[in-house]
Amino acid sequence: MNRGTTESNVRYNPGNLGDLLKHGWLVEIVRFLHRLKTGEPLRYADTFCGFADYGVHDETAQRIRDRFHVLEFRRLQEPFLDRGRYAGSVTLAGLAAEGNLRASLFDANPQALASYPAGTAEILEIRSGYDILDSKDPYDLIFLDPYDDVWADCKTVLTRCAARLDRASILIFFPLEAESQWDLLAAAIDRLGINCQRGFVKNPGNPLDGTWHFAAIFMPGTLLGLGAVLGLFGELNVVTARVNALAANP
Ligand SMILES: C[S@@+](CC[C@H](N)C(=O)[O-])C[C@H]1O[C@@H](n2cnc3c(N)ncnc32)[C@H](O)[C@@H]1O
């Protein structure tokens, strides 16, 4: 494994099933929104941004190359895997938007923010990644990628997301300790009546992937036409199915 020093305190194995779900979705969503922008930069907020890229285990890199058949994600990730790295969310979003990304970032870990070359992104002056939900600034996409502590406040976070959809689409990722949390999450979303796509990956617990199950929710902004996002919802389902296929036969 080639592991860089800067991201040494990352809590999980980069390139695991959760990463494949969130990043597979992120690439499809950014590509879709980028096409709609017809040349204007995509305004992207990533307030749990992590590092620009990570060291990846050889076995994890090989599994992605051989068995994760999500072509655009693979195409973007390939040059990183080739040198023992795995691209993080901001790097992938920039590539998926063909460089036409206006990124606004935050992370509670200053070392993570320092992994981005100076001047490549705006660093938001907030205290927590969730604060972006209180700002009135418009974004094409807000990506929220917290650790499992999101669960304690999950209903409040979803309610705040629902109230933000007039000025942004939102992708949020949840690591789940128990499978039953997926049903609770789905029920909370139903109660809020949010139009969204949901994806769940049941993790059998391969050592490469840890023990968490994973969920992703994409809530399109209200300004996006319902018809337009249906095709995207289908693409997201394909990604979820491919991560689950990998999970079922690790
Ligand atoms: C799952 S990692 C992010 C991975 C990254 N989005 C990627 O895909 O490459 C979660 C990140 O959230 C950061 N974090 C934890 N609590 C936070 C908070 N309240 N506000 C902002 N960042 C936080 C951690 O330092 C960590 O880098």
Side-chain angles (χ1 to χ4, degrees):
M1 179 182 63
N2 172 5
R3 184 177 282 286
T5 50
T6 48
E7 78 283 7
S8 54
N9 57 357
V10 168
R11 286 201 208 165
Y12 53 90
N13 177 23
N16 67 30
L17 294 174
D19 276 354
L20 298 184
L21 178 68
K22 71 173 91 153
H23 294 146
W25 275 40
L26 181 66
V27 166
E28 296 301 330
I29 293 165
V30 169
R31 273 161 45 84
F32 169 83
L33 295 173
H34 169 57
R35 279 198 297 272
L36 293 182
K37 296 295 285 190
T38 57
E40 268 181 71
L42 191 87
R43 294 160 304 177
Y44 172 71
D46 191 330
T47 56
F48 298 78
C49 66
F51 290 82
D53 55 53
Y54 304 85
V56 67
H57 287 280
D58 294 340
E59 200 183 336
T60 306
Q62 204 53 41
R63 182 174 74 169
I64 294 171
R65 285 201 195 93
D66 293 348
R67 307 208 10 250
F68 187 53
H69 304 298
V70 174
L71 296 184
E72 198 54 31
F73 168 86
R74 277 256 303 276
R75 187 179 73 78
L76 301 181
Q77 201 64 259
E78 205 79 71
F80 293 86
L81 299 176
D82 275 353
R83 39 179 216 273
R85 307 293 294 172
Y86 177 90
S89 52
V90 179
T91 304
L92 280 175
L95 292 169
E98 301 177 291
N100 209 358
L101 189 82
R102 189 182 301 157
S104 300
L105 310 182
F106 181 72
D107 195 287
N109 178 358
Q111 284 183 318
L113 289 173
S115 72
Y116 297 93
T120 54
E122 175 198 16
I123 305 300
L124 292 166
E125 293 196 5
I126 53 181
R127 294 163 65 92
S128 165
Y130 300 110
D131 294 349
I132 192 72
L133 296 173
D134 299 327
S135 111
K136 295 270 180 267
D137 294 339
Y139 292 99
D140 296 297
L141 180 64
I142 295 173
F143 178 36
L144 302 175
D145 187 12
Y147 285 141
D148 56 295
D149 52 5
V150 62
W151 187 253
D153 238 356
C154 135
K155 285 183 196 147
T156 314
V157 170
L158 287 172
T159 306
R160 290 167 75 193
C161 287
R164 189 68 169 81
L165 295 175
D166 58 340
R167 285 161 206 261
S169 295
I170 300 178
L171 170 63
I172 180 164
F173 178 80
F174 292 88
L176 302 176
E177 197 167 9
E179 223 181 309
S180 56
Q181 287 174 297
W182 173 235
D183 296 325
L184 297 173
L185 193 56
I189 294 166
D190 286 343
R191 267 196 298 278
L192 286 166
I194 307 174
N195 165 43
C196 64
Q197 184 59 301
R198 310 152 191 205
F200 174 65
V201 168
K202 181 173 149 62
N203 178 7
N206 180 299
L208 293 181
D209 300 310
T211 56
W212 299 92
H213 305 289
F214 305 107
I217 315 285
F218 174 61
M219 298 169 248
T222 47
L223 294 178
L224 295 178
L226 195 56
V229 294
L230 284 180
L232 172 63
F233 280 13
E235 297 299 329
L236 300 180
N237 273 342
V238 171
V239 175
T240 309
R242 296 205 164 143
V243 183
N244 272 310
L246 199 60
N249 188 10

